[in-house]
Amino acid sequence: MLVCLCLAAIVALILINAEKSSLDKIKQEGRITILTRNSPTTYYEGPDGKTGFEYDLARLFADYLGVDLKIQLPESFNDLFPMINGNQADLIAAGLTVTEPRKSLVRFAPPYQDITQQLIYRLGDKRPKSVEDIIGGRLEVVAGSSFEERLRDLKAEYPELNWVASEAQDVENLLQKIAGGEIDYTVVDSNEFEHHLRFYPELRVAFDISEPQQLAWAFRTDRQDDALYNAAVEFFNEIQQNGTLTRLLERHYSYVQGYKPVETTLFLKHVQERLPPYKFMFMEAGATFGFDWRLLAALAFQESHWLTNAVSPTGVRGMMMLTERTAGQMKVMNRLDARESIIGGAAYLKLLHDKLPEDIYEPDRTWMALAAYNVGAGHLEDARKITESQGGDPHKWIDVRKHLPLLSKREWYKKTRFGYARGREPVVYVRNIRRYYDILIWLDERIEPEKTPQYTTSSDAIISASMPPSL
């Protein structure tokens, strides 16, 4: 009798669990598992932890569901679809392009970004202007990607078009191969190439190889269990309506837009010729004041191009271009002394950083401190007040930077405490520093790969500080 009762209880539990939806199981376990891939636009490990657009988006979704987030990385891109349909994860958040063939394999959530596939070549080689021009060239793409799907469509029109599809290579590896002359072409999504262009100034877009396409998350094709999929639909509707998605996209992409490759060429030249004597000075200042030394070096390059005797028409001087007043405040006796200037500049940045309201979190806190270094803390505060008055968030850099240019317009600055300022300058200033900072990190990664992950960090992770779930 007891055995029968136990068996009945077990059967009842099995039936109860069988009736639970995928969403119920996730909430019961307290964890959602996503499949993604290592890239600067999806997911990577930084010194302050995990980051990347897809990771941040998935983290918001996990918070929305009230569960923890688990990351799973497949061996290759081709493993994504078998793994999701084999119940090895709950969804794919990997910058997937929505295509007709894929719609038969997975169920796509609402799209969140538009991109275009672009053919990439090396500057100095003859620029191809059409598909006919790349026939016979060495073309390699990631196996199983939407790029390969597009090439198959093109082959129907151009039978002589051939390429290599590699499971062992990712996008960055293929860009490296073009830069090194090992291959002639590859295909990359426009959003991803924007990130990589800073690191490969010798590469260019030849032409768009596709019409605009959409990126979306992917779920299993189980139409009998809609709970998790419907929750994702509601989540995307909410973050689109409240502006969270726009802020997240701007945070990860806006500062790389409008970049000119010649900037990297000049910067890399100075990294080799000018930076080495001062590297340990930046490291000393970084350790003293709690900043990544590469951020301080990027700041100094923006200020003086690492020239110790730099002087501006307004009287600021030295590596960190300190005013006489600021130098005195920071106990800098000789502004033209490299070490004194670097220590003084780092101390001043720390002062500005610490004076900001406590509820401004990273990375916004550092971007605003840099803006204040350029335009002054008073003008930054004026811009924050204008931002709030216009319905923006004065704690978010992406909102404040939109309103800083208003400080040069009389109808706005006459209402402020500190008056007129060239408000566009700090916006460009911070954008440039973020770019230089990312390049310095990337260079460190290439020099000492055994000491760093594949993607070490980005300018979203600056100093040791926690960031709240909200973006």
Side-chain angles (χ1 to χ4, degrees), residues 115-365:
I115 55 90
T116 305
Q117 294 183 22
Q118 298 178 323
L119 186 85
I120 308 302
Y121 77 108
R122 185 178 61 248
L123 188 65
D125 294 343
K126 184 178 179 180
R127 177 184 177 182
K129 298 181 180 179
S130 65
V131 175
E132 291 99 325
D133 292 341
I134 66 175
I135 292 174
R138 296 170 297 176
L139 171 60
E140 188 171 349
V141 297
V142 177
S145 63
S146 58
F147 316 136
E148 193 177 12
E149 287 183 27
R150 177 58 182 153
L151 291 174
R152 282 196 290 266
D153 291 340
L154 289 171
K155 190 172 178 64
E157 186 177 352
Y158 304 96
E160 295 181 355
L161 177 64
N162 292 301
W163 63 91
V164 173
S166 175
E167 290 198 14
Q169 305 289 343
D170 59 20
V171 166
E172 183 169 12
N173 295 146
L174 295 176
L175 294 175
Q176 287 176 357
K177 291 178 76 172
I178 297 178
E182 298 176 55
I183 60 175
D184 299 314
Y185 316 113
T186 191
V187 182
V188 180
D189 283 336
S190 54
N191 64 325
E192 195 156 358
F193 188 63
E194 282 183 346
H195 271 276
H196 285 296
L197 182 58
R198 293 165 293 153
F199 313 131
Y200 298 98
E202 66 271 47
L203 303 186
R204 294 289 189 276
V205 175
F207 56 86
D208 291 344
I209 206 167
S210 76
E211 295 297 320
Q213 297 175 304
Q214 295 179 316
L215 303 184
W217 283 356
F219 294 79
R220 284 186 290 277
T221 54
D222 184 2
R223 299 280 176 170
Q224 296 179 348
D225 183 3
D226 290 334
L228 179 60
Y229 177 83
N230 289 339
V233 172
E234 293 171 0
F235 166 72
F236 277 103
N237 286 338
E238 180 174 310
I239 64 173
Q240 285 173 343
Q241 291 174 8
N242 65 22
T244 298
L245 179 59
T246 299
R247 289 194 296 272
L248 187 61
L249 286 166
E250 288 187 348
R251 177 184 161 199
H252 282 274
Y253 292 103
S254 62
Y255 78 102
V256 300
Q257 294 169 350
Y259 167 75
K260 297 178 181 178
V262 68
E263 296 175 20
T264 292
T265 303
L266 177 64
F267 182 69
L268 292 175
K269 181 176 183 290
H270 291 327
V271 166
Q272 291 183 332
E273 297 176 356
R274 295 183 183 175
L275 179 60
Y278 311 114
K279 178 176 178 178
F280 288 100
M281 297 178 190
F282 287 118
M283 295 177 75
E284 177 191 7
T288 301
F289 296 102
F291 292 106
D292 186 330
W293 74 267
R294 295 164 295 192
L295 177 72
L296 297 177
L299 167 59
F301 184 81
Q302 173 63 27
E303 287 287 352
S304 67
H305 281 202
W306 297 322
L307 293 173
T308 59
N309 60 348
V311 180
S312 83
T314 58
V316 294
R317 293 172 176 263
M319 180 81 75
M320 304 296 274
M321 296 296 274
L322 301 174
T323 65
E324 189 172 356
R325 178 182 176 185
T326 300
Q329 189 180 4
M330 299 298 111
K331 311 299 183 185
V332 174
M333 302 300 294
N334 181 3
R335 288 183 285 169
L336 300 184
D337 179 87
R339 184 178 177 276
E340 278 199 69
S341 183
I342 291 169
I343 294 294
Y348 183 51
L349 182 64
K350 178 67 172 175
L351 176 67
L352 296 169
H353 185 277
D354 290 351
K355 285 177 66 177
L356 289 166
E358 292 183 359
D359 51 354
I360 296 179
Y361 301 100
E362 293 298 343
D364 303 273
R365 191 176 192 85

Side-chain angles (χ1 to χ4, degrees), residues 358-390:
E358 292 183 359
D359 51 354
I360 296 179
Y361 301 100
E362 293 298 343
D364 303 273
R365 191 176 192 85
T366 292
W367 305 150
M368 291 196 202
L370 288 170
Y373 193 105
N374 172 261
V375 78
H379 290 306
L380 176 70
E381 186 59 25
D382 284 344
R384 291 185 64 242
K385 289 178 180 178
I386 292 174
T387 301
E388 187 172 24
S389 73
Q390 294 301 297

Side-chain angles (χ1 to χ4, degrees), residues 387-445:
T387 301
E388 187 172 24
S389 73
Q390 294 301 297
D393 188 342
H395 300 79
K396 300 296 183 185
W397 171 243
I398 60 173
D399 284 356
V400 174
R401 75 179 181 199
K402 292 176 183 176
H403 296 89
L404 268 165
L406 297 179
L407 295 178
S408 64
K409 297 184 177 182
R410 188 175 184 278
E411 64 267 32
W412 288 98
Y413 71 70
K414 68 180 183 180
K415 303 175 185 177
T416 66
R417 178 181 176 185
F418 292 93
Y420 171 84
R422 296 191 298 269
R424 293 189 183 278
E425 286 189 11
V427 177
V428 176
Y429 181 87
V430 173
R431 183 193 65 193
N432 289 347
I433 291 172
R434 293 180 67 175
R435 290 171 175 170
Y436 300 142
Y437 177 53
D438 278 354
I439 293 170
L440 286 173
I441 290 167
W442 179 79
L443 288 171
D444 263 5
E445 170 187 304

Side-chain angles (χ1 to χ4, degrees), residues 5-26:
L5 288 173
C6 289
L7 287 173
I10 292 171
V11 170
L13 284 173
I14 292 173
L15 290 174
I16 291 171
N17 285 329
E19 292 175 358
K20 285 184 177 179
S21 70
S22 55
L23 181 57
D24 290 333
K25 292 175 183 176
I26 287 168

